[in-house]
Amino acid sequence: MSRQRSTPFFDADLRDGVAAALEDCMQKTKNMDARAMQEAHWRLAADMGWLGAMVTEEQGGLELGRAFAADLCAEAGRALFCGPLLETAILLPALAAECSSLLPLLNGVVAGDVRLGLAEECSGQVLVQYADAATHIAVLNCSTDTLSVTFAPSTAFRCVMLQPLDPRSSVACAELIDPDVAEHIPLQREAADRVLHALYMAQAADLWGIAEAALLATVSYVVERRQFGRPIGQFQGVKHRLADIHTAVDAARLAIATTVDDAAGAHEAAIARILACDAALAASGAAIQYHGGLGFSWEADLHLYLKRALRLNASTGGTAALRSTVGERIIMRALEADAA
Amino acid sequence: MVRGPDFLRAASDAEFRIGLCEWLARELPALAAGRGPAAMNSIEFRLAWENHICKAGLSGLGWPREVGGHALSLSRQAIYHEEVARAGAPLPVNMIAHGIVAPTLIAFGSAEQKRRYLPRILDNSEIWCQGYSEPDAGSDLAALALRAERRGDVYLLNGQKIWTSFAHLSDYCLLLARTGQGSSPRTGISVMLTDMKLPGISVRPIRQITGEADFNEVFFDNVEVPATALLGKENEGWRLAMAAANYERSTYFVPRVVRLQSELEQLIRLASRTYRHGCAVIDKPSVREELTRLCINAHALRLFADKILADSEAGEASGVDSSAIKLLWSENHQRLFNLAMEVLGPEAALGPQELNSPDEGRWVREYLWTRAETILAGTSEVHRNIIAERGLGLPR
Ligand SMILES: Cc1cc2nc3c(=O)[nH]c(=O)nc-3n(C[C@H](O)[C@H](O)[C@H](O)COP(=O)(O)OP(=O)(O)OC[C@H]3O[C@@H](n4cnc5c(N)ncnc54)[C@H](O)[C@@H]3O)c2cc1C
């Protein structure tokens, strides 16, 4: 028996329901251009109530909690969902919990009328994900302990669309032309921790979904594909590498499962994101390698996993920077414990 | 026949190099005419540059004089490839013709075949592709199934090739076909110099993960190829194909190693002009450490390339060194661009054709392209098997 899908973080029926709806939708939309695809995927997410996963029932949401959010994001990663799902459904409610002026937006989130584009500053310019359809844009500035967010309707920005690496995303170079309508949200220690926890966990889950999907696709290919009279999965060069990736995917899954816990914070979520990112890059890279020429061809779709993983890897400061922040903290804690 | 710039007849290697560098410093910028990195690596410019070189008489460097070559020593050929790469010239498109078809024709072709094909490789007027891989014969090339049946003075070809680079631009194909059933799959294979314009051949481009479509599926439906297209003896094509692969080995990696080294230098520059949170990316310990590793590996690569060249000059077989260098080169090339993506930060999310990203998108474009380098010309796994079995004598 080959590798099966992992157990869900929250509930099997709910997870399988999400997966089935996404699969059906992916089939129907696979030949659409990115813009039309995003609209179709977004409509599905709104109709299914997914966008309200983290919104209170009072405000029309499902209030399903973090574990479901992790399943939702993982399924989005697996299915290569096109649209700012984790930004809108997970990050925005987390921001609103810290900044009450954003609360009125949540009704729109649930209805599918609000879409949040996540932006980052980079060598003087601001790059915004999904700027083509975003109704609001949040520019994140992270430093070690604090987080400040510039939040504004997307009309406050002038956007120039650029070619995205991930064909199932869009990206623009943006300039804030109407600073008066922008809200500056400084978040101190604990508030910052809660928001980053939500964001890193969602990103980790998406990355993990990519990793598992790429691994499963590769496993089924290497048992079918024959060279030299046998399945290529029989060669140990292939076996051992896939065994390592299997372990990395499971490690990331365990790390995400811990972050849905109430006691977990941004630190644990960052570790989960790092593990999930490593797993996603390894699994999607191996998927291309072990599919040979097929893996390098656009039509095989395996590149979509790699490109999505690269996009998430680069987001919110990048996984490499996150790794050094986490590393600093671990070392500091160890030294403090030693001194005490 | 005397042709080409004077430096070709320089008395010493040093003078040869100086003359070549002067020529390149004059000709390349003139032809490039202000093109940026993206346009410099376009197929259109690669072909234009290649045509320019050939027109100037700088082709057939290693061929014997009888067939219009310059009979340059391997070390001068290596200097040539090194300096061309260092000058920033793009890789040729017609590399199958110059690197593989020509030396194979010179060694195995009939007088008529040499007369017909070599001059048009020399002036680059005919482009060649390499039709080896098939859907069920990739790493296991000997499993190839495209049939060539002898019918009087033609062969009738039926079957399919896949991943054939530049087939859509090619005039001819160095094609491997099955002409007989032998005791092992390797017997019964023949090499055909196949005209790509023949009726019954259809080419379907396949889009690559870079967004470009440089490789193709090629279908053969009752294609009549004249029997004179056979290269060497019928059913003995395997040996010939293996020999063909060897011609390139002595200098194949020279320009690639030079390119890798110059990409490393450019990456160091990119990292020192990219700032994140007020710090230059080059100052990050993880970036410095990986750069150092890459520089050291690039040094080792250079030594391998030199050794392979020296062995070829001495007429010694390269053994598993050619597998070792292929592995070392392709895997470090991937690592280099992995690091580049980290250096780019948020701009790594911009696409390979986005001219508004650093160096006109070349980092992302090359990142994607390097994924192919561990697959083509023998996958990394295949080369590891060769090193383990032939180099270490481990049981198969
Ligand atoms: C960009 C590009 C350009 C190309 N251009 C050409 C061209 O011009 N002409 C041409 O003929 N071909 C060309 N190829 C095809 C290339 O030669 C094949 O892709 C390659 O030989 C691998 O074959 P495959 O794709 O069928 O993969 P497979 O052979 O099916 O391999 C799939 C995976 O299994 C692994 N594997 C296979 N056997 C073993 C083993 N014994 N031990 C361990 N692992 C194993 C492989 O390493 C690989 O990871 C090109 C390929 C690419 C990507």
mmCIF file of all heavy atoms in Angstrom, chain A residues 221 225 227-228 232 235 238 289-294 296, chain B residues 130-133 137-140 162-165 208 215 369 372 375-377 379 381-382 385, ligand 1:
data_model
loop_
_atom_site.group_PDB
_atom_site.id
_atom_site.type_symbol
_atom_site.label_atom_id
_atom_site.label_comp_id
_atom_site.label_asym_id
_atom_site.label_seq_id
_atom_site.Cartn_x
_atom_site.Cartn_y
_atom_site.Cartn_z
ATOM 1 N N TYR A 221 3.612 8.161 -9.375
ATOM 2 C CA TYR A 221 4.328 8.083 -10.662
ATOM 3 C C TYR A 221 5.443 7.036 -10.619
ATOM 4 O O TYR A 221 5.569 6.235 -11.545
ATOM 5 C CB TYR A 221 4.903 9.452 -11.039
ATOM 6 C CG TYR A 221 5.532 9.456 -12.419
ATOM 7 C CD1 TYR A 221 4.733 9.414 -13.561
ATOM 8 C CD2 TYR A 221 6.916 9.468 -12.584
ATOM 9 C CE1 TYR A 221 5.296 9.400 -14.831
ATOM 10 C CE2 TYR A 221 7.496 9.458 -13.851
ATOM 11 C CZ TYR A 221 6.681 9.422 -14.972
ATOM 12 O OH TYR A 221 7.237 9.396 -16.215
ATOM 13 N N ARG A 225 5.806 4.263 -13.523
ATOM 14 C CA ARG A 225 6.793 4.493 -14.573
ATOM 15 C C ARG A 225 7.871 3.418 -14.557
ATOM 16 O O ARG A 225 8.505 3.180 -13.524
ATOM 17 C CB ARG A 225 7.436 5.865 -14.367
ATOM 18 C CG ARG A 225 8.643 6.168 -15.229
ATOM 19 C CD ARG A 225 8.278 6.410 -16.645
ATOM 20 N NE ARG A 225 9.420 6.838 -17.463
ATOM 21 C CZ ARG A 225 9.370 6.884 -18.787
ATOM 22 N NH1 ARG A 225 8.285 6.534 -19.440
ATOM 23 N NH2 ARG A 225 10.428 7.281 -19.468
ATOM 24 N N GLN A 227 11.470 1.878 -16.196
ATOM 25 C CA GLN A 227 12.679 1.997 -17.004
ATOM 26 C C GLN A 227 13.555 0.810 -16.612
ATOM 27 O O GLN A 227 13.500 0.355 -15.478
ATOM 28 C CB GLN A 227 13.423 3.299 -16.737
ATOM 29 C CG GLN A 227 12.761 4.542 -17.335
ATOM 30 C CD GLN A 227 12.902 4.640 -18.857
ATOM 31 O OE1 GLN A 227 13.865 5.125 -19.411
ATOM 32 N NE2 GLN A 227 11.883 4.130 -19.551
ATOM 33 N N PHE A 228 14.343 0.326 -17.529
ATOM 34 C CA PHE A 228 15.215 -0.836 -17.279
ATOM 35 C C PHE A 228 14.392 -2.032 -16.782
ATOM 36 O O PHE A 228 14.841 -2.793 -15.917
ATOM 37 C CB PHE A 228 16.313 -0.506 -16.261
ATOM 38 C CG PHE A 228 17.173 0.669 -16.657
ATOM 39 C CD1 PHE A 228 16.952 1.932 -16.103
ATOM 40 C CD2 PHE A 228 18.202 0.522 -17.595
ATOM 41 C CE1 PHE A 228 17.733 3.016 -16.467
ATOM 42 C CE2 PHE A 228 18.986 1.623 -17.953
ATOM 43 C CZ PHE A 228 18.753 2.860 -17.392
ATOM 44 N N ILE A 232 10.598 2.666 -11.586
ATOM 45 C CA ILE A 232 11.747 3.463 -11.130
ATOM 46 C C ILE A 232 11.743 3.619 -9.603
ATOM 47 O O ILE A 232 12.787 3.860 -9.009
ATOM 48 C CB ILE A 232 11.814 4.854 -11.817
ATOM 49 C CG1 ILE A 232 10.521 5.644 -11.619
ATOM 50 C CG2 ILE A 232 12.123 4.708 -13.301
ATOM 51 C CD1 ILE A 232 10.570 7.057 -12.169
ATOM 52 N N PHE A 235 14.388 1.668 -7.636
ATOM 53 C CA PHE A 235 15.793 2.060 -7.498
ATOM 54 C C PHE A 235 15.995 2.786 -6.178
ATOM 55 O O PHE A 235 15.231 3.682 -5.821
ATOM 56 C CB PHE A 235 16.205 2.961 -8.671
ATOM 57 C CG PHE A 235 16.107 2.276 -9.995
ATOM 58 C CD1 PHE A 235 15.223 2.716 -10.970
ATOM 59 C CD2 PHE A 235 16.898 1.163 -10.283
ATOM 60 C CE1 PHE A 235 15.126 2.076 -12.195
ATOM 61 C CE2 PHE A 235 16.802 0.513 -11.507
ATOM 62 C CZ PHE A 235 15.917 0.968 -12.456
ATOM 63 N N VAL A 238 16.077 6.575 -5.816
ATOM 64 C CA VAL A 238 14.770 7.232 -5.772
ATOM 65 C C VAL A 238 14.102 6.984 -4.416
ATOM 66 O O VAL A 238 13.590 7.899 -3.774
ATOM 67 C CB VAL A 238 13.878 6.714 -6.935
ATOM 68 C CG1 VAL A 238 12.473 7.287 -6.845
ATOM 69 C CG2 VAL A 238 14.518 7.056 -8.285
ATOM 70 N N GLN A 289 12.179 16.292 -10.576
ATOM 71 C CA GLN A 289 13.315 15.415 -10.879
ATOM 72 C C GLN A 289 12.870 13.991 -11.215
ATOM 73 O O GLN A 289 13.328 13.400 -12.189
ATOM 74 C CB GLN A 289 14.281 15.398 -9.682
ATOM 75 C CG GLN A 289 15.499 14.512 -9.850
ATOM 76 C CD GLN A 289 16.479 15.032 -10.906
ATOM 77 O OE1 GLN A 289 16.449 16.205 -11.285
ATOM 78 N NE2 GLN A 289 17.332 14.156 -11.413
ATOM 79 N N TYR A 290 11.960 13.431 -10.425
ATOM 80 C CA TYR A 290 11.607 12.027 -10.624
ATOM 81 C C TYR A 290 10.574 11.818 -11.722
ATOM 82 O O TYR A 290 10.310 10.682 -12.107
ATOM 83 C CB TYR A 290 11.169 11.384 -9.296
ATOM 84 C CG TYR A 290 12.323 11.349 -8.310
ATOM 85 C CD1 TYR A 290 12.149 11.639 -6.966
ATOM 86 C CD2 TYR A 290 13.616 11.061 -8.756
ATOM 87 C CE1 TYR A 290 13.219 11.642 -6.084
ATOM 88 C CE2 TYR A 290 14.691 11.064 -7.889
ATOM 89 C CZ TYR A 290 14.489 11.359 -6.555
ATOM 90 O OH TYR A 290 15.552 11.376 -5.687
ATOM 91 N N HIS A 291 10.016 12.888 -12.227
ATOM 92 C CA HIS A 291 9.184 12.765 -13.426
ATOM 93 C C HIS A 291 10.031 12.950 -14.686
ATOM 94 O O HIS A 291 9.499 12.875 -15.795
ATOM 95 C CB HIS A 291 8.041 13.785 -13.425
ATOM 96 C CG HIS A 291 6.876 13.398 -12.557
ATOM 97 N ND1 HIS A 291 6.925 13.457 -11.183
ATOM 98 C CD2 HIS A 291 5.634 12.940 -12.870
ATOM 99 C CE1 HIS A 291 5.749 13.062 -10.688
ATOM 100 N NE2 HIS A 291 4.954 12.742 -11.687
ATOM 101 N N GLY A 292 11.322 13.206 -14.538
ATOM 102 C CA GLY A 292 12.193 13.357 -15.703
ATOM 103 C C GLY A 292 11.722 14.482 -16.615
ATOM 104 O O GLY A 292 11.275 15.528 -16.130
ATOM 105 N N GLY A 293 11.818 14.265 -17.932
ATOM 106 C CA GLY A 293 11.424 15.293 -18.899
ATOM 107 C C GLY A 293 9.999 15.771 -18.655
ATOM 108 O O GLY A 293 9.706 16.971 -18.767
ATOM 109 N N LEU A 294 9.139 14.852 -18.294
ATOM 110 C CA LEU A 294 7.739 15.189 -18.004
ATOM 111 C C LEU A 294 7.644 16.235 -16.892
ATOM 112 O O LEU A 294 6.831 17.157 -16.950
ATOM 113 C CB LEU A 294 7.006 13.908 -17.593
ATOM 114 C CG LEU A 294 5.501 13.961 -17.423
ATOM 115 C CD1 LEU A 294 4.824 14.315 -18.732
ATOM 116 C CD2 LEU A 294 4.990 12.614 -16.911
ATOM 117 N N PHE A 296 9.643 18.539 -16.231
ATOM 118 C CA PHE A 296 10.072 19.861 -16.698
ATOM 119 C C PHE A 296 9.061 20.479 -17.654
ATOM 120 O O PHE A 296 9.233 21.606 -18.092
ATOM 121 C CB PHE A 296 11.450 19.759 -17.366
ATOM 122 C CG PHE A 296 12.139 21.080 -17.521
ATOM 123 C CD1 PHE A 296 12.563 21.803 -16.411
ATOM 124 C CD2 PHE A 296 12.362 21.630 -18.784
ATOM 125 C CE1 PHE A 296 13.187 23.033 -16.547
ATOM 126 C CE2 PHE A 296 12.992 22.874 -18.932
ATOM 127 C CZ PHE A 296 13.405 23.565 -17.804
ATOM 128 N N GLN B 130 18.668 16.408 -31.768
ATOM 129 C CA GLN B 130 19.095 15.071 -31.383
ATOM 130 C C GLN B 130 17.870 14.256 -30.998
ATOM 131 O O GLN B 130 17.255 14.505 -29.959
ATOM 132 C CB GLN B 130 20.047 15.190 -30.190
ATOM 133 C CG GLN B 130 20.643 13.883 -29.734
ATOM 134 C CD GLN B 130 21.635 14.094 -28.593
ATOM 135 O OE1 GLN B 130 21.467 14.987 -27.762
ATOM 136 N NE2 GLN B 130 22.665 13.282 -28.546
ATOM 137 N N GLY B 131 17.506 13.294 -31.826
ATOM 138 C CA GLY B 131 16.304 12.500 -31.580
ATOM 139 C C GLY B 131 16.643 11.171 -30.929
ATOM 140 O O GLY B 131 16.723 10.140 -31.597
ATOM 141 N N TYR B 132 16.870 11.197 -29.633
ATOM 142 C CA TYR B 132 17.193 9.979 -28.889
ATOM 143 C C TYR B 132 15.994 9.536 -28.037
ATOM 144 O O TYR B 132 15.451 8.466 -28.234
ATOM 145 C CB TYR B 132 18.397 10.206 -27.966
ATOM 146 C CG TYR B 132 19.761 10.269 -28.639
ATOM 147 C CD1 TYR B 132 19.909 10.479 -30.002
ATOM 148 C CD2 TYR B 132 20.926 10.117 -27.874
ATOM 149 C CE1 TYR B 132 21.170 10.543 -30.596
ATOM 150 C CE2 TYR B 132 22.189 10.177 -28.455
ATOM 151 C CZ TYR B 132 22.306 10.392 -29.816
ATOM 152 O OH TYR B 132 23.551 10.450 -30.371
ATOM 153 N N SER B 133 15.609 10.391 -27.084
ATOM 154 C CA SER B 133 14.598 9.989 -26.092
ATOM 155 C C SER B 133 13.238 9.716 -26.726
ATOM 156 O O SER B 133 12.825 10.378 -27.676
ATOM 157 C CB SER B 133 14.415 11.092 -25.050
ATOM 158 O OG SER B 133 15.648 11.431 -24.488
ATOM 159 N N ALA B 137 11.581 5.399 -23.475
ATOM 160 C CA ALA B 137 13.032 5.216 -23.462
ATOM 161 C C ALA B 137 13.699 6.533 -23.119
ATOM 162 O O ALA B 137 14.009 7.347 -23.989
ATOM 163 C CB ALA B 137 13.522 4.706 -24.813
ATOM 164 N N GLY B 138 13.873 6.779 -21.820
ATOM 165 C CA GLY B 138 14.534 7.995 -21.354
ATOM 166 C C GLY B 138 15.894 7.618 -20.812
ATOM 167 O O GLY B 138 16.875 7.513 -21.548
ATOM 168 N N SER B 139 15.949 7.373 -19.496
ATOM 169 C CA SER B 139 17.204 6.905 -18.901
ATOM 170 C C SER B 139 17.627 5.587 -19.538
ATOM 171 O O SER B 139 18.811 5.334 -19.757
ATOM 172 C CB SER B 139 17.017 6.700 -17.395
ATOM 173 O OG SER B 139 16.692 7.924 -16.791
ATOM 174 N N ASP B 140 16.643 4.760 -19.825
ATOM 175 C CA ASP B 140 16.921 3.473 -20.483
ATOM 176 C C ASP B 140 16.827 3.660 -21.994
ATOM 177 O O ASP B 140 15.897 3.180 -22.639
ATOM 178 C CB ASP B 140 15.892 2.444 -19.993
ATOM 179 C CG ASP B 140 16.189 1.045 -20.523
ATOM 180 O OD1 ASP B 140 17.271 0.843 -21.122
ATOM 181 O OD2 ASP B 140 15.325 0.167 -20.339
ATOM 182 N N ILE B 162 10.583 12.264 -28.158
ATOM 183 C CA ILE B 162 10.038 13.279 -27.239
ATOM 184 C C ILE B 162 11.182 14.039 -26.570
ATOM 185 O O ILE B 162 12.309 13.526 -26.502
ATOM 186 C CB ILE B 162 9.076 12.643 -26.197
ATOM 187 C CG1 ILE B 162 8.227 13.720 -25.493
ATOM 188 C CG2 ILE B 162 9.842 11.786 -25.198
ATOM 189 C CD1 ILE B 162 7.047 13.165 -24.717
ATOM 190 N N TRP B 163 10.878 15.223 -26.101
ATOM 191 C CA TRP B 163 11.832 16.140 -25.449
ATOM 192 C C TRP B 163 12.929 16.577 -26.417
ATOM 193 O O TRP B 163 14.034 16.901 -25.981
ATOM 194 C CB TRP B 163 12.476 15.551 -24.187
ATOM 195 C CG TRP B 163 11.584 14.711 -23.325
ATOM 196 C CD1 TRP B 163 11.824 13.418 -22.947
ATOM 197 C CD2 TRP B 163 10.343 15.093 -22.724
ATOM 198 N NE1 TRP B 163 10.796 12.970 -22.158
ATOM 199 C CE2 TRP B 163 9.866 13.973 -22.002
ATOM 200 C CE3 TRP B 163 9.585 16.257 -22.728
ATOM 201 C CZ2 TRP B 163 8.666 13.991 -21.296
ATOM 202 C CZ3 TRP B 163 8.385 16.273 -22.028
ATOM 203 C CH2 TRP B 163 7.945 15.155 -21.328
ATOM 204 N N THR B 164 12.652 16.561 -27.702
ATOM 205 C CA THR B 164 13.686 16.881 -28.692
ATOM 206 C C THR B 164 13.882 18.398 -28.753
ATOM 207 O O THR B 164 13.044 19.120 -29.295
ATOM 208 C CB THR B 164 13.275 16.351 -30.079
ATOM 209 O OG1 THR B 164 12.624 15.090 -29.899
ATOM 210 C CG2 THR B 164 14.489 16.188 -30.961
ATOM 211 N N SER B 165 15.012 18.849 -28.201
ATOM 212 C CA SER B 165 15.274 20.295 -28.144
ATOM 213 C C SER B 165 15.446 20.867 -29.546
ATOM 214 O O SER B 165 16.171 20.299 -30.375
ATOM 215 C CB SER B 165 16.544 20.579 -27.347
ATOM 216 O OG SER B 165 16.412 20.101 -26.035
ATOM 217 N N GLN B 208 7.689 24.376 -21.553
ATOM 218 C CA GLN B 208 8.505 24.030 -20.386
ATOM 219 C C GLN B 208 8.095 24.855 -19.182
ATOM 220 O O GLN B 208 7.406 25.862 -19.322
ATOM 221 C CB GLN B 208 9.976 24.295 -20.706
ATOM 222 C CG GLN B 208 10.470 23.428 -21.824
ATOM 223 C CD GLN B 208 11.714 23.970 -22.509
ATOM 224 O OE1 GLN B 208 12.267 23.329 -23.346
ATOM 225 N NE2 GLN B 208 12.148 25.163 -22.157
ATOM 226 N N PHE B 215 11.537 22.484 -26.356
ATOM 227 C CA PHE B 215 11.586 21.065 -26.731
ATOM 228 C C PHE B 215 10.257 20.594 -27.285
ATOM 229 O O PHE B 215 9.253 21.313 -27.218
ATOM 230 C CB PHE B 215 12.180 20.165 -25.654
ATOM 231 C CG PHE B 215 11.485 20.080 -24.319
ATOM 232 C CD1 PHE B 215 10.185 20.506 -24.126
ATOM 233 C CD2 PHE B 215 12.168 19.523 -23.222
ATOM 234 C CE1 PHE B 215 9.571 20.385 -22.885
ATOM 235 C CE2 PHE B 215 11.553 19.401 -21.986
ATOM 236 C CZ PHE B 215 10.254 19.832 -21.827
ATOM 237 N N TRP B 369 15.395 27.025 -15.200
ATOM 238 C CA TRP B 369 16.132 26.257 -16.196
ATOM 239 C C TRP B 369 17.069 25.225 -15.546
ATOM 240 O O TRP B 369 17.210 24.103 -16.028
ATOM 241 C CB TRP B 369 16.922 27.186 -17.142
ATOM 242 C CG TRP B 369 17.731 26.383 -18.071
ATOM 243 C CD1 TRP B 369 19.078 26.195 -18.054
ATOM 244 C CD2 TRP B 369 17.230 25.551 -19.140
ATOM 245 N NE1 TRP B 369 19.448 25.313 -19.031
ATOM 246 C CE2 TRP B 369 18.336 24.899 -19.706
ATOM 247 C CE3 TRP B 369 15.952 25.290 -19.656
ATOM 248 C CZ2 TRP B 369 18.210 23.999 -20.774
ATOM 249 C CZ3 TRP B 369 15.830 24.395 -20.707
ATOM 250 C CH2 TRP B 369 16.951 23.769 -21.256
ATOM 251 N N ALA B 372 16.244 21.586 -15.134
ATOM 252 C CA ALA B 372 16.397 20.631 -16.240
ATOM 253 C C ALA B 372 17.800 20.018 -16.263
ATOM 254 O O ALA B 372 17.998 18.923 -16.785
ATOM 255 C CB ALA B 372 16.132 21.321 -17.582
ATOM 256 N N ILE B 375 18.362 16.632 -15.179
ATOM 257 C CA ILE B 375 17.566 15.632 -15.904
ATOM 258 C C ILE B 375 18.174 15.331 -17.271
ATOM 259 O O ILE B 375 18.337 14.173 -17.656
ATOM 260 C CB ILE B 375 16.096 16.126 -16.069
ATOM 261 C CG1 ILE B 375 15.431 16.316 -14.704
ATOM 262 C CG2 ILE B 375 15.294 15.143 -16.926
ATOM 263 C CD1 ILE B 375 14.072 17.019 -14.752
ATOM 264 N N LEU B 376 18.540 16.367 -18.018
ATOM 265 C CA LEU B 376 19.028 16.124 -19.382
ATOM 266 C C LEU B 376 20.479 15.630 -19.383
ATOM 267 O O LEU B 376 21.197 15.804 -18.397
ATOM 268 C CB LEU B 376 18.861 17.378 -20.255
ATOM 269 C CG LEU B 376 19.410 18.711 -19.774
ATOM 270 C CD1 LEU B 376 20.899 18.849 -19.999
ATOM 271 C CD2 LEU B 376 18.691 19.826 -20.516
ATOM 272 N N ALA B 377 20.870 15.029 -20.507
ATOM 273 C CA ALA B 377 22.224 14.474 -20.664
ATOM 274 C C ALA B 377 22.580 13.512 -19.524
ATOM 275 O O ALA B 377 23.687 13.528 -18.986
ATOM 276 C CB ALA B 377 23.264 15.594 -20.775
ATOM 277 N N THR B 379 20.405 11.752 -16.125
ATOM 278 C CA THR B 379 19.918 12.329 -14.878
ATOM 279 C C THR B 379 20.987 12.158 -13.789
ATOM 280 O O THR B 379 21.897 11.337 -13.921
ATOM 281 C CB THR B 379 18.629 11.637 -14.393
ATOM 282 O OG1 THR B 379 18.953 10.281 -14.043
ATOM 283 C CG2 THR B 379 17.546 11.627 -15.470
ATOM 284 N N GLU B 381 20.664 10.707 -11.042
ATOM 285 C CA GLU B 381 20.613 9.329 -10.537
ATOM 286 C C GLU B 381 21.411 8.404 -11.444
ATOM 287 O O GLU B 381 22.159 7.545 -10.966
ATOM 288 C CB GLU B 381 19.158 8.853 -10.435
ATOM 289 C CG GLU B 381 18.342 9.527 -9.329
ATOM 290 C CD GLU B 381 17.954 10.967 -9.626
ATOM 291 O OE1 GLU B 381 17.849 11.323 -10.818
ATOM 292 O OE2 GLU B 381 17.764 11.749 -8.674
ATOM 293 N N VAL B 382 21.275 8.591 -12.749
ATOM 294 C CA VAL B 382 22.016 7.755 -13.696
ATOM 295 C C VAL B 382 23.524 7.968 -13.526
ATOM 296 O O VAL B 382 24.307 7.014 -13.504
ATOM 297 C CB VAL B 382 21.551 8.055 -15.147
ATOM 298 C CG1 VAL B 382 22.530 7.506 -16.169
ATOM 299 C CG2 VAL B 382 20.144 7.478 -15.370
ATOM 300 N N ASN B 385 24.744 6.238 -10.464
ATOM 301 C CA ASN B 385 24.887 4.795 -10.711
ATOM 302 C C ASN B 385 26.193 4.501 -11.446
ATOM 303 O O ASN B 385 26.904 3.558 -11.114
ATOM 304 C CB ASN B 385 23.715 4.272 -11.558
ATOM 305 C CG ASN B 385 22.421 4.192 -10.752
ATOM 306 O OD1 ASN B 385 22.437 4.177 -9.520
ATOM 307 N ND2 ASN B 385 21.302 4.145 -11.446
HETATM 308 C C1 LIG C 1 15.180 20.533 -21.163
HETATM 309 C C2 LIG C 1 15.385 19.158 -21.714
HETATM 310 C C3 LIG C 1 15.902 19.019 -22.996
HETATM 311 C C4 LIG C 1 16.061 17.748 -23.546
HETATM 312 N N1 LIG C 1 16.540 17.647 -24.832
HETATM 313 C C5 LIG C 1 16.629 16.413 -25.407
HETATM 314 C C6 LIG C 1 17.041 16.284 -26.771
HETATM 315 O O1 LIG C 1 17.335 17.267 -27.450
HETATM 316 N N2 LIG C 1 17.060 15.054 -27.319
HETATM 317 C C7 LIG C 1 16.746 13.924 -26.606
HETATM 318 O O2 LIG C 1 16.800 12.852 -27.142
HETATM 319 N N3 LIG C 1 16.359 14.019 -25.303
HETATM 320 C C8 LIG C 1 16.288 15.234 -24.696
HETATM 321 N N4 LIG C 1 15.873 15.341 -23.378
HETATM 322 C C9 LIG C 1 15.410 14.135 -22.689
HETATM 323 C C10 LIG C 1 16.339 13.625 -21.589
HETATM 324 O O3 LIG C 1 17.447 13.036 -22.154
HETATM 325 C C11 LIG C 1 15.508 12.662 -20.725
HETATM 326 O O4 LIG C 1 14.536 13.439 -20.055
HETATM 327 C C12 LIG C 1 16.333 11.928 -19.731
HETATM 328 O O5 LIG C 1 17.134 11.001 -20.363
HETATM 329 C C13 LIG C 1 15.467 11.196 -18.691
HETATM 330 O O6 LIG C 1 14.513 10.386 -19.300
HETATM 331 P P1 LIG C 1 12.977 10.469 -18.893
HETATM 332 O O7 LIG C 1 12.567 11.883 -19.006
HETATM 333 O O8 LIG C 1 12.229 9.467 -19.676
HETATM 334 O O9 LIG C 1 12.944 10.092 -17.357
HETATM 335 P P2 LIG C 1 13.036 8.610 -16.762
HETATM 336 O O10 LIG C 1 14.134 7.888 -17.390
HETATM 337 O O11 LIG C 1 11.678 8.017 -16.766
HETATM 338 O O12 LIG C 1 13.465 8.931 -15.280
HETATM 339 C C14 LIG C 1 12.556 9.364 -14.279
HETATM 340 C C15 LIG C 1 13.300 9.391 -12.967
HETATM 341 O O13 LIG C 1 13.727 8.079 -12.640
HETATM 342 C C16 LIG C 1 15.100 8.074 -12.355
HETATM 343 N N5 LIG C 1 15.739 6.830 -12.759
HETATM 344 C C17 LIG C 1 15.643 6.212 -13.960
HETATM 345 N N6 LIG C 1 16.430 5.130 -13.968
HETATM 346 C C18 LIG C 1 17.045 5.076 -12.772
HETATM 347 C C19 LIG C 1 17.985 4.182 -12.181
HETATM 348 N N7 LIG C 1 18.447 3.141 -12.836
HETATM 349 N N8 LIG C 1 18.396 4.444 -10.914
HETATM 350 C C20 LIG C 1 17.933 5.513 -10.229
HETATM 351 N N9 LIG C 1 17.041 6.374 -10.750
HETATM 352 C C21 LIG C 1 16.600 6.148 -11.999
HETATM 353 C C22 LIG C 1 15.644 9.224 -13.160
HETATM 354 O O14 LIG C 1 16.877 9.661 -12.636
HETATM 355 C C23 LIG C 1 14.553 10.248 -13.050
HETATM 356 O O15 LIG C 1 14.689 10.992 -11.884
HETATM 357 C C24 LIG C 1 15.732 16.603 -22.809
HETATM 358 C C25 LIG C 1 15.226 16.749 -21.498
HETATM 359 C C26 LIG C 1 15.053 18.008 -20.944
HETATM 360 C C27 LIG C 1 14.505 18.133 -19.557
#
